[in-house]
Amino acid sequence: MQRKIHFLANIFAIILSLSLANAETHYHQFVVQATPVKRLCRTHNIITVNGQFPGPTLEVRDGDALVVKVINSARYNVTIHWHGIRQMRTPWADGPEYVTQCPIQPGASYTYRFTIENQEGTLWWHAHSRWLRATVYGALIIHPKLNVPYPFQKPMTEIPLLLGEWWDRDIISVQRQAIFTGAAPNVSDAYTINGQPGDLYRCSRKETAKFYVKSGETVLLRIVNAALNQELFFTVANHMLTVVGNDAAYNKPFATRVVMIGPGQTTNVLLTADQPAGRYYMAARAYATSQNAAFDNTTTTAILEYHSSPPPSTRPLIPALPRFNDTNSATAYTSQLRSLPTNNNRVPTQIDENLFFTVGLGLVNCTPGPRCQGPNNTRFAASMNNVSFVLPRTTSLLQAYYQNIPGVFTTDFPPVPPIAFDYTGNVSRGLWQPRRGTKLYKLKYSSNVQVVLQDTAIVSTEDHPLHLHGYHFYVVGQGFGNFNPRRDTARFNLVDPPLRNTINVPVGGWTVIRFVADNPGVWLMHCHIDSHLRWGLAMSFLVENGPGKMQSVQPPPPDLPPC
């Protein structure tokens, strides 16, 4: 028996050494800088990485390490977040400003170091300070380890598609105006695909993104919603899309005409070029659910062109997209998501922490005047469990935790709403004004966590894309109205729930997620609509250290930016 155990141990060691031997370390340098870029007939100096918009695509394999030196040559403070990377044992590399680090100041630099562990698919990176991520973003593609196949037929071609928003003005000025007035920010002037608005906007036809395919081949579209404030519908004229992955996790394939994708989310789809040779529009436009709120009601396009197409004489075929408020189409899409079974993915069933978080907007009373231009002389706010999250300014939350700095945060974030009410009904105006605070919720290492995320009707119900840093989680249930544990728990999917890092809380509804708190550190959870984040729709988990060094927060790197 002992000889057999010894033999198996040797086999495991050989497999592990081969895996590590194939892993690579990728070195990159990001120079954050102002770059003149012309869109919609006008040139603006925007903030970019290496002068590129969108920024460079990073390609790695599962198991590889990344070392990215960020040099800030812009006039604003900046950080970079590696959206969806677990950051196991490397919380100092996560990137959100004043959460895991202080920002990189102009003229300074910081090197992010982390390893990809048990993740495959499409993720992305973006600025996580102010609204710089409107133009500072790029794709992060994680291929399988060498000699490990996709769980579907290998595509002939892979195409990253980054969906974004474009303002025909300086984005920091847009943010500053909204902060000053307390009103909603000006909406974008265009949506973009790989940085280009497309044929339907002024001065944009020549630069419209084009992608060439051969008849009969299958291509993998790696779709990223990098929009600052907008959920989007996406489709390709006359072509079916087979969804095979979301947020760097594979799912059971299903066919659809339309993808609904929230800010921060990624979706991998297979497209087979099985239509008559020609030119077909890819298109995206808003899915907007907030009542009486302004939004950008334009449509961005790119062109899918068959190599054997005759010379273009007419406009490409235009696809049909759902109406901006078509929640039925959005729900029909998301309800089809099911994860593939793997040995690494086990849904927690015995729950240690059962949490209930309301998510939604609010209004703060103020003295009428230029700084009080929200609805009925108020300022917009947002909160989770009636706490409008406030970031520190003298240090980061992770530094305060690691160095035991007092007075930076408290650990009394409420596990349930302070007052229970009819969350999606007619909410008393006395509940519309949240309290500001820097409150964290403490989790024991390896605890099994369930969080109910409940939309509210304060100001308006709305679909909120919630992102949890440092983790992915199982989406075990979603529905409309108020969550009812007696009725809804029995309907949970504990067999093959989708695995995500960003999830939409349905308009006027709820989502339930589960995860194991196996990654020590301070991890931000927030709405990925950046105007909502600025208003306070966020909180942070403080996950305590585990029993050993490998389950504990490591010392900060020597070049961690000072505050």
Side-chain angles (χ1 to χ4, degrees):
M1 182 67 179
Q2 287 182 339
R3 294 177 63 183
K4 182 177 181 181
I5 292 173
H6 183 68
F7 173 76
L8 292 174
N10 286 338
I11 293 296
F12 176 78
I14 292 171
I15 293 172
L16 180 61
S17 64
L18 288 174
S19 176
L20 293 175
N22 289 329
E24 295 184 30
T25 299
H26 303 261
Y27 295 88
H28 296 274
Q29 180 170 284
F30 280 13
V31 179
V32 181
Q33 62 190 70
T35 304
V37 171
K38 187 176 183 179
R39 298 289 186 274
L40 307 182
C41 313
R42 298 176 63 188
T43 299
H44 294 277
N45 269 326
I46 66 171
I47 305 302
T48 67
V49 166
N50 298 348
Q52 299 174 234
F53 174 63
T57 295
L58 305 183
E59 294 196 54
V60 298
R61 293 187 181 275
D62 182 22
D64 287 355
L66 270 166
V67 178
V68 185
K69 183 177 182 179
V70 177
I71 301 170
N72 187 2
S73 297
R75 59 192 177 112
Y76 305 110
N77 291 344
V78 71
T79 65
I80 300 295
H81 170 52
W82 315 94
H83 188 111
I85 296 293
R86 287 290 319 271
Q87 299 291 2
M88 301 297 291
R89 301 172 301 283
T90 52
W92 304 103
D94 190 43
E97 181 180 62
Y98 294 111
V99 178
T100 61
Q101 68 169 98
C102 292
I104 308 167
Q105 298 176 14
S109 66
Y110 177 50
T111 301
Y112 294 89
R113 297 175 173 87
F114 55 91
T115 300
I116 313 298
E117 297 187 31
N118 299 314
Q119 292 185 276
E120 297 177 18
T122 304
L123 294 175
W124 63 304
W125 57 265
H126 61 81
H128 212 297
S129 43
R130 305 199 185 195
W131 283 5
L132 294 179
R133 81 167 180 87
T135 55
V136 178
Y137 61 86
L140 201 173
I141 295 172
I142 307 172
H143 298 286
K145 293 180 180 180
L146 283 173
N147 302 317
V148 175
Y150 290 124
F152 46 81
Q153 182 180 355
K154 184 177 181 179
M156 299 294 292
T157 307
E158 298 186 7
I159 302 174
L161 296 176
L162 289 94
L163 312 179
E165 287 183 273
W166 177 264
W167 275 260
D168 196 19
R169 65 202 81 185
D170 175 62
I171 189 60
I172 299 301
S173 297
V174 174
Q175 183 188 22
R176 284 173 174 166
Q177 181 185 19
I179 293 171
F180 178 83
T181 64
N186 290 326
V187 300
S188 57
D189 297 285
Y191 300 112
T192 58
I193 298 177
N194 289 1
Q196 296 293 343
D199 285 0
L200 306 184
Y201 298 90
R202 66 185 185 276
C203 304
S204 301
R205 183 178 298 272
K206 290 182 179 180
E207 290 76 24
T208 297
K210 295 181 181 178
F211 307 100
Y212 295 92
V213 295
K214 297 178 182 178
S215 291
E217 75 175 356
T218 297
V219 300
L220 177 65
L221 304 182
R222 297 179 176 272
I223 309 167
V224 177
N225 186 347
L228 198 68
N229 291 322
Q230 192 60 63
E231 295 169 309
L232 295 166
F233 287 118
F234 172 85
T235 192
V236 181
N238 284 24
H239 289 75
M240 291 297 294
L241 306 174
T242 301
V243 181
V244 293
N246 292 271
D247 294 355
Y250 296 118
N251 62 261
K252 294 178 179 178
F254 66 92
T256 182
R257 289 282 184 189
V258 175
V259 169
M260 196 287 286
I261 183 168
Q265 293 182 326
T266 68
T267 300
N268 284 2
V269 302
L270 296 174
L271 177 149
T272 300
D274 57 2
Q275 295 300 302
R279 302 163 73 238
Y280 300 84
Y281 271 138
M282 300 174 171
R285 75 177 182 199
Y287 170 49
T289 58
S290 182
Q291 299 175 23
N292 302 317
F295 68 97
D296 180 352
N297 198 21
T298 62
T299 301
T300 181
T301 56
I303 296 173
L304 183 76
E305 183 168 335
Y306 285 59
H307 277 294
S308 54
S309 301
S313 58
T314 60
R315 175 175 284 182
L317 287 175
I318 299 178
L321 278 162
R323 286 180 53 81
F324 73 89
N325 58 354
D326 190 347
T327 295
N328 288 338
S329 289
T331 304
Y333 170 79
T334 56
S335 64
Q336 296 182 78
L337 292 171
R338 297 286 187 272
S339 65
L340 285 179
T342 70
N343 292 331
N344 294 326
N345 295 338
R346 294 184 177 88
V347 184
T349 54
Q350 301 298 318
I351 300 303
D352 303 308
E353 294 276 1
N354 198 345
L355 309 175
F356 188 106
F357 295 169
T358 56
V359 297
L361 305 182
L363 297 174
V364 175
N365 297 323
C366 52
T367 304
R371 297 187 63 90
C372 196
Q373 297 186 42
N376 301 315
N377 295 317
T378 59
R379 292 178 62 86
F380 270 109
S383 70
M384 299 179 70
N385 276 359
N386 202 46
V387 178
S388 189
F389 192 68
V390 179
L391 288 170
R393 282 293 181 264
T394 58
T395 188
S396 74
L397 296 173
L398 185 58
Q399 286 171 285
Y401 166 60
Y402 186 81
Q403 299 171 2
N404 294 312
I405 302 174
V408 178
F409 63 83
T410 60
T411 55
D412 57 345
F413 185 87
V416 296
I419 299 175
F421 58 96
D422 182 2
Y423 306 111
T424 56
N426 187 13
V427 183
S428 167
R429 290 299 292 264
L431 299 175
W432 283 35
Q433 180 161 312
R435 296 182 177 181
R436 290 164 55 86
T438 310
K439 299 177 181 290
L440 280 58
Y441 190 86
K442 188 181 294 186
L443 293 173
K444 291 183 178 180
Y445 179 80
S446 79
S447 58
N448 292 333
V449 184
Q450 174 175 293
V451 186
V452 177
L453 300 165
Q454 173 70 60
D455 185 30
T456 77
I458 297 175
V459 183
S460 172
T461 55
E462 186 170 359
D463 193 298
H464 295 282
L466 268 291
H467 173 49
L468 176 58
H469 289 233
Y471 285 87
H472 49 209
F473 47 77
Y474 292 98
V475 184
V476 299
Q478 288 185 298
F480 292 97
N482 297 335
F483 176 73
N484 183 325
R486 294 182 179 178
R487 175 194 64 208
D488 298 322
T489 302
R491 304 175 185 174
F492 284 175
N493 176 8
L494 303 179
V495 177
D496 56 358
L499 190 65
R500 307 216 61 155
N501 63 59
T502 306
I503 188 59
N504 297 81
V505 179
V507 53
W510 51 269
T511 293
V512 180
I513 66 173
R514 290 185 178 184
F515 62 94
V516 179
D518 58 358
N519 196 7
V522 178
W523 304 106
L524 184 67
M525 174 184 269
H526 65 95
C527 183
H528 222 274
I529 295 174
D530 271 29
S531 58
H532 294 181
L533 172 58
R534 179 61 184 80
W535 291 338
L537 211 168
M539 59 82 61
S540 286
F541 287 109
L542 194 167
V543 181
E544 296 179 309
N545 287 334
K549 182 178 179 181
M550 297 303 289
Q551 296 85 36
S552 302
V553 175
Q554 303 299 301
D559 63 338
L560 190 72
C563 285

